[in-house]
Amino acid sequence: MTTDDARSEEDREARGLRLVAVLLGLTVVSGIIDAVSYLGLGHVFTANMTGNVVVLGFAAAGAPGFSVPHTATSLACFLLGALAGGRVAVRYGADSRRAWARVTLAVEAVLVGVSAAVAFAAPGATGTTYALIALTAFAMGLRNATVIKLGVPDLTTTVLTRTLTGLAADSRAGG
């Protein structure tokens, strides 16, 4: 192995370690978003769809404090985000993996930022809760599809959520 080959191998490994660190950081952000959404948006998750399946069961059974419309909005917007993430990956993923991931994660950051602005601008408005659920769930679906398409082995941020993401991102509509 030449010196250039060794350096190239070290560069690839360093990039991989940075990606893992970024993904672990994003996992923490997902937990924060879910905590805020569950506590502040009426017992609905916007990043963890596994929890929403349970919440939907509670809501359908008539348990107090749970909302079928909130949970259905979160599930639908998450799946739309995952679908969009799948389409973006198919369209741009073959080019530069780094550029594609950066753009996708920047879009996620913008969506989360817009949701924060909406929360501060109209905290008591009727549509604010639905807007926050829709924006953050779409952003999390987009991110989950991106993480799946990046293909980092054994680094899942969710279980059922990842299954739902895969179904949307890998569907015919998702590319």
Side-chain angles (χ1 to χ4, degrees), residues 35 78 93 141 150 155 169:
F78 182 92
L150 285 171
L155 186 61

Side-chain angles (χ1 to χ4, degrees), residues 2-62:
T2 67
T3 305
D4 288 338
D5 289 339
R7 260 190 238 128
S8 178
E9 185 68 29
E10 288 172 15
D11 290 345
R12 264 184 286 186
E13 186 157 330
R15 284 193 303 266
L17 290 175
R18 285 193 302 257
L19 178 59
V20 168
V22 167
L23 293 177
L24 290 173
L26 290 172
T27 302
V28 171
V29 171
S30 292
I32 293 168
I33 286 175
D34 264 345
V36 170
S37 68
Y38 188 81
L39 296 172
L41 299 177
H43 298 110
V44 64
F45 295 103
T46 58
N48 182 345
M49 295 303 114
T50 308
N52 270 344
V53 171
V54 173
V55 167
L56 193 57
F58 289 153

